[in-house]
Amino acid sequence: INDPKTWLPEDAPAEKITKGQRRRATVARCYFLLLWHMGCRRGALASLKWSEIKPDHTNQKEWLWYRPTSKNDDPLEIPVSSYAKALLEELEPITKESGFVFPSRRKDGQTGHRSDSWKPVTRLQKASGVTDFTNHAVRKTISTYMTRTLDISNDVVTAILNHRLPG
């Protein structure tokens, strides 16, 4: 076929497209799973840099997400569960080179971080049939689960969610 708009499945572009789709699906899946398992704000997760994931100072086998300032100007220090660590390890070969865990190519050609999770949320709502869920509702659910089911104190949950303690 000599038409430049047509190519056969065995051509190299088909493999690249398939690989790109798999990578994109992996990144989107890991984004939502990390959002749900870490309880962080969506903007904080979207802008997560690989340099912010560090070994815990008390146990080098455990990881922490440390950011010197956050939305409320306080430092952010979230323990990374073994499940979240496994997701990050899955993402590392895909996105580490960019510096961001969730990189995005900007219109000007520069690489930055994901800034909008509404499109993937809309796709997830449509695919799942659950239309009334939001990223913020996930944070509320995590808070409730930690206090009511896991019996974690409100002060610890407040710190994990990076809220300020009253008073």
Side-chain angles (χ1 to χ4, degrees), residues 2 7 9 11 22-24 28 34 52-54 61 71 91 107-109 127 135 139-142 149 152 157 160-161:
N2 291 330
W7 45 269
D11 290 347
R22 279 195 307 265
R23 289 170 59 134
R24 184 175 178 188
L34 284 169
E52 296 172 343
I53 303 294
K54 302 180 181 297
K61 292 182 180 179
K71 180 180 177 181
L91 286 171
K107 290 180 182 177
D108 63 4
N135 289 333
R139 283 174 53 84
K140 290 179 179 180
T141 303
I142 290 168
T149 305
I152 297 173
V157 172
I160 289 171
L161 296 178

Side-chain angles (χ1 to χ4, degrees), residues 76-109:
L76 177 69
E77 190 172 292
I78 298 178
V80 177
S81 69
S82 58
Y83 182 80
K85 185 177 177 182
L87 291 170
L88 289 166
E89 287 171 338
E90 183 178 352
L91 286 171
E92 194 171 16
I94 298 171
T95 67
K96 182 138 188 176
E97 192 175 291
S98 74
F100 290 100
V101 176
F102 299 101
S104 179
R105 176 92 40 209
R106 297 184 179 163
K107 290 180 182 177
D108 63 4

Side-chain angles (χ1 to χ4, degrees), residues 15 23 39 44 47 55 58 69 85 89 96 134 145 152 164-165:
E15 185 177 319
R23 289 170 59 134
S47 63
T58 60
T69 59
K85 185 177 177 182
E89 287 171 338
K96 182 138 188 176
T134 64
Y145 182 77
I152 297 173
R164 288 222 166 124
L165 291 171

Side-chain angles (χ1 to χ4, degrees), residues 144-154 157:
T144 301
Y145 182 77
M146 285 191 286
T147 55
R148 292 186 184 168
T149 305
L150 300 178
D151 201 29
I152 297 173
S153 75
N154 282 331
V157 172

Side-chain angles (χ1 to χ4, degrees), residues 35-92:
L35 187 70
W36 297 335
H37 285 271
M38 294 181 79
C40 55
R41 290 180 177 93
R42 64 185 171 94
L45 183 62
S47 63
L48 175 61
K49 295 179 180 177
W50 283 106
S51 61
E52 296 172 343
I53 303 294
K54 302 180 181 297
D56 187 334
H57 47 82
T58 60
N59 181 350
Q60 295 293 305
K61 292 182 180 179
E62 302 296 325
W63 290 3
L64 288 174
W65 173 11
Y66 178 76
R67 181 174 280 176
T69 59
S70 63
K71 180 180 177 181
N72 64 12
D73 293 326
D74 290 338
L76 177 69
E77 190 172 292
I78 298 178
V80 177
S81 69
S82 58
Y83 182 80
K85 185 177 177 182
L87 291 170
L88 289 166
E89 287 171 338
E90 183 178 352
L91 286 171
E92 194 171 16

